[in-house]
Amino acid sequence: MDNVSQIRMFFLSGLNETNNHRITLFLLTLLCYCVILLVNISVIVTIIIDKNLHEAMYILLCTFCMNELYGTAGFYPKFLWDLLSPVHVISYSGCLVQAQVMYSFACADLSILSVMAYDRYVAICRPLEYHSVMSKQRVIVLACLSWLTPFCVMGINVFLTTRLKLCSPFIARLFCVNWIIVKLACFPSETTISSIVAYIAIVMAKFMQTCVPHLTSLLIFLVAISFDVLSMKFGSKDLPQTLQNIVAVEFLVIPPLMNPLIYGFKLTKIRNRILGVISLKTK
């Protein structure tokens, strides 16, 4: 048991079947990450510099895009490094940090979407009260809570994981996820509390009815997350490693790419502002 408690490094085996396509995968991943950075930063900067966009809907959208940058930063740099490295390892503390980022990012996306849905509900159903209900100060508080609450809940979950004694340093994934670390515990009975907290975290974001963009974004995100959660919960040993990898990174590729397009470039004010800047630069 002394050896078990001294695990200081995890070995990620998710890339073992991609040895022949590392360079191609690296270039595609780098391109994808650059596009994610470009579209999200474009929306954020546009909202910040244009005072006409300092309204509830745009403040929430800015928070949403910032969360996309936060979540993808926890995955892409390490993944790109692993694609060029012959050994795929991550320290124990680094693995826990990555698990914290992945979980808090996913849940924060849902909570921010919930606040955005409430904003649209008030705008449509209570238009005369909109500016008093969704004041700038209240929106900022809601935006902060929608990120801090998942972060704290996930922090508790990861903290409980640090108390477990692990029997294996091998993780058959591209990145660290708390549930997978918990499954490495020597004594399954010790994981009960962690499992309960994880279930609470999964169901804590209750979503309300809203408009098409919110439902589209929510559907994309929930489908991506559901595949990943189901594969972790019920096992995926019969699936090829490549398919497991695609399922695992889906929520780190599709939502960060699609959300700025669904929200940011669909909104007339932001689209016109970005197109105006582009046209000025081309003259």
Side-chain angles (χ1 to χ4, degrees):
M1 190 59 62
D2 291 338
N3 292 332
V4 170
S5 62
Q6 293 177 0
I7 291 179
R8 291 294 178 265
M9 196 76 67
F10 288 104
F11 297 88
L12 305 174
S13 59
L15 282 173
N16 287 353
E17 294 184 4
T18 59
N19 290 328
N20 298 328
H21 310 284
R22 292 283 177 87
I23 301 300
T24 302
L25 188 56
F26 174 83
L27 294 175
L28 291 174
T29 303
L30 181 61
L31 176 62
C32 179
Y33 189 39
C34 289
V35 173
I36 289 174
L37 292 176
L38 175 63
V39 294
N40 283 281
I41 291 175
S42 297
V43 173
I44 292 170
V45 172
T46 301
I47 293 174
I48 290 176
I49 64 177
D50 191 340
K51 292 184 178 180
N52 294 324
L53 299 178
H54 292 182
E55 302 173 4
M57 177 172 58
Y58 300 105
I59 293 174
L60 293 172
L61 177 58
C62 186
T63 305
F64 197 42
C65 291
M66 287 179 177
N67 189 58
E68 304 295 343
L69 295 179
Y70 161 73
T72 53
F75 168 72
Y76 281 95
K78 175 66 170 67
F79 181 59
L80 288 168
W81 177 266
D82 284 345
L83 286 171
L84 299 179
S85 174
V87 181
H88 311 126
V89 297
I90 186 170
S91 66
Y92 178 82
S93 58
C95 192
L96 293 178
V97 169
Q98 189 175 56
Q100 166 73 8
V101 172
M102 295 295 98
Y103 269 46
S104 58
F105 152 71
C107 291
D109 251 13
L110 290 177
S111 61
I112 295 171
L113 278 170
S114 298
V115 178
M116 293 174 74
Y118 179 69
D119 172 74
R120 292 299 85 201
Y121 161 76
V122 176
I124 295 171
C125 300
R126 301 164 60 186
L128 298 179
E129 305 174 31
Y130 178 74
H131 291 291
S132 60
V133 173
M134 299 300 292
S135 64
K136 185 181 293 186
Q137 293 77 10
R138 182 170 296 176
V139 170
I140 292 174
V141 171
L142 289 173
C144 292
L145 288 176
S146 65
W147 191 85
L148 288 174
T149 302
F151 186 85
C152 293
V153 172
M154 294 306 112
I156 294 173
N157 203 11
V158 172
F159 171 74
L160 292 173
T161 301
T162 63
R163 306 178 61 179
L164 300 176
K165 292 183 178 180
L166 307 180
C167 279
S168 173
F170 298 99
I171 297 177
R173 290 178 70 89
L174 299 173
F175 56 91
C176 293
V177 180
N178 194 63
W179 191 286
I180 298 298
I181 302 174
V182 169
K183 290 174 69 173
L184 299 178
C186 300
F187 307 104
S189 60
E190 293 181 349
T191 68
T192 303
I193 297 178
S194 296
S195 299
I196 293 174
V197 175
Y199 281 125
I200 293 174
I202 290 172
V203 301
M204 73 175 189
K206 297 293 185 180
F207 208 75
M208 57 181 63
Q209 291 181 343
T210 185
C211 305
V212 173
H214 294 78
L215 293 176
T216 303
S217 181
L218 178 67
L219 181 62
I220 291 172
F221 189 79
L222 286 183
V223 168
I225 285 292
S226 297
F227 275 117
D228 196 36
V229 171
L230 289 174
S231 67
M232 286 189 293
K233 176 61 179 174
F234 299 106
S236 52
K237 294 181 179 179
D238 295 332
L239 296 177
Q241 185 64 53
T242 302
L243 181 58
Q244 293 183 44
N245 293 342
I246 293 173
V247 170
V249 302
E250 188 180 358
F251 80 103
L252 289 161
V253 176
I254 298 178
L257 278 174
M258 295 300 297
N259 287 335
L261 301 177
I262 291 173
Y263 287 101
F265 298 102
K266 181 180 174 62
L267 298 174
T268 305
K269 287 185 178 180
I270 293 181
R271 184 174 65 249
N272 291 342
R273 177 68 177 178
I274 293 176
L275 293 176
V277 172
I278 293 174
S279 62
L280 287 175
K281 290 184 176 182
T282 55
K283 290 181 179 180

